[in-house]
Amino acid sequence: MLQHNVKMCHPNEFIVAHAVRQNWPRHMIGFTLLETLVALALLGLLAVMFSQGLQQGQRVFASTTRAHDDKRKVIEARETLTRWLSMAQPYNPDRSGVTTINPISGDGADLTFSASIDPTPGQDDLYRIRLWYDAASSEVRMAFQPDRNDLDSPSNANPLTLLNEVAGVQFEYLDIDMAGSGPTWVTDWQARPDLPEAIKVSMTFANSTSWPHLIVPLVITGREFCAFDPVSRRCR
């Protein structure tokens, strides 16, 4: 009796063997399980690489945008300080009031002065401006309001933030010594009716923002009705 050994095979193996016998093209046969797993693994690897590259690109974009914004804020702040400080007004002996208002009152971290900040024709009234460094918030703040005879310092109820993430501020005032010892940068300018020759603003930031020393010469140094006495350091 003849015995036939019938070997059972998986349907896929039968299909592949049949396709080989019939000389089917390779692309018509399909993929094996191993080939499919390898392809999925490669696709997963590519997806991970693409995701990491996308995240890195987003971080670079955010960092670049922030650096650009910080640079723009610094430029705007320097332009504002230059315009305001250069127009600081000297002592006006014709002013009347209970309190004598000095033209500039400042120390190393706090500065108050009078200046015209509105360039609109016919709207050039003086404003009393205060600039100061708030260490608690790491901000340089400012406040201003119309300069009146009975008001020496602006209200700080609604201050504006000029710059943030500031690590330190230093205001300095160029004092021309009438005795002949030469100009000197000082950090205190209070109870004086005269103006310094220039004001220097130095800042450091908590981030990588750069602030070159800002030196602002004052445009107005005296009034025609004020004869400055170098001895008493007052108008006469």
Side-chain angles (χ1 to χ4, degrees):
M1 177 182 289
L2 297 176
Q3 294 182 350
H4 297 280
N5 294 327
V6 179
K7 182 180 179 181
M8 301 300 294
C9 63
H10 194 277
N12 286 346
E13 295 180 0
F14 174 79
I15 294 174
V16 172
H18 178 72
V20 171
R21 287 196 301 269
Q22 296 298 324
N23 295 322
W24 287 5
R26 183 70 178 84
H27 70 273
M28 296 179 61
I29 298 175
F31 297 100
T32 65
L33 178 60
L34 179 59
E35 290 174 334
T36 303
L37 292 176
V38 171
L40 291 175
L42 291 175
L43 289 175
L45 180 61
L46 290 175
V48 171
M49 295 174 61
F50 176 78
S51 176
Q52 292 178 345
L54 182 61
Q55 292 176 359
Q56 179 66 21
Q58 290 176 338
R59 287 193 293 268
V60 172
F61 177 78
S63 177
T64 303
T65 302
R66 181 175 180 180
H68 175 75
D69 291 342
D70 290 342
K71 184 176 181 180
R72 176 182 54 81
K73 291 179 181 179
V74 166
I75 293 175
E76 292 176 352
R78 292 175 68 89
E79 291 176 349
T80 298
L81 291 177
T82 299
R83 183 173 65 253
W84 289 4
L85 291 174
S86 64
M87 296 303 295
Q89 299 290 317
Y91 174 73
N92 187 345
D94 288 348
R95 296 179 62 136
S96 60
V98 179
T99 304
T100 299
I101 301 178
N102 296 303
I104 286 183
S105 178
D107 53 28
D110 198 320
L111 169 62
T112 301
F113 61 100
S114 296
S116 176
I117 64 175
D118 191 345
T120 304
Q123 301 293 329
D124 57 350
D125 292 337
L126 292 182
Y127 282 78
R128 196 66 173 165
I129 306 168
R130 184 190 176 203
L131 301 169
W132 75 98
Y133 173 58
D134 187 351
S137 61
S138 299
E139 294 179 343
V140 175
R141 296 182 174 181
M142 60 181 178
F144 54 90
Q145 61 190 34
D147 189 356
R148 300 191 294 271
N149 291 339
D150 58 347
L151 192 62
D152 188 27
S153 182
S155 172
N156 301 325
N158 298 302
L160 302 177
T161 299
L162 185 64
L163 290 169
N164 52 20
E165 296 188 39
V166 181
V169 174
Q170 181 74 43
F171 294 119
E172 296 181 73
Y173 315 91
L174 185 59
D175 187 10
I176 302 299
D177 190 351
M178 297 301 177
S181 61
T184 304
W185 287 105
V186 297
T187 58
D188 184 84
W189 197 279
Q190 300 185 39
R192 297 178 59 165
D194 58 329
L195 293 174
E197 293 295 316
I199 298 176
K200 179 166 64 175
V201 183
S202 304
M203 291 190 196
T204 56
F205 290 82
N207 52 29
S208 59
T209 302
S210 175
W211 179 278
H213 291 313
L214 176 64
I215 299 178
V216 183
L218 273 61
V219 176
I220 305 174
T221 57
R223 296 184 183 273
E224 60 182 5
F225 47 74
C226 177
F228 183 72
D229 183 4
V231 178
S232 63
R233 304 190 69 85
R234 295 188 178 278
C235 295
R236 61 185 181 185

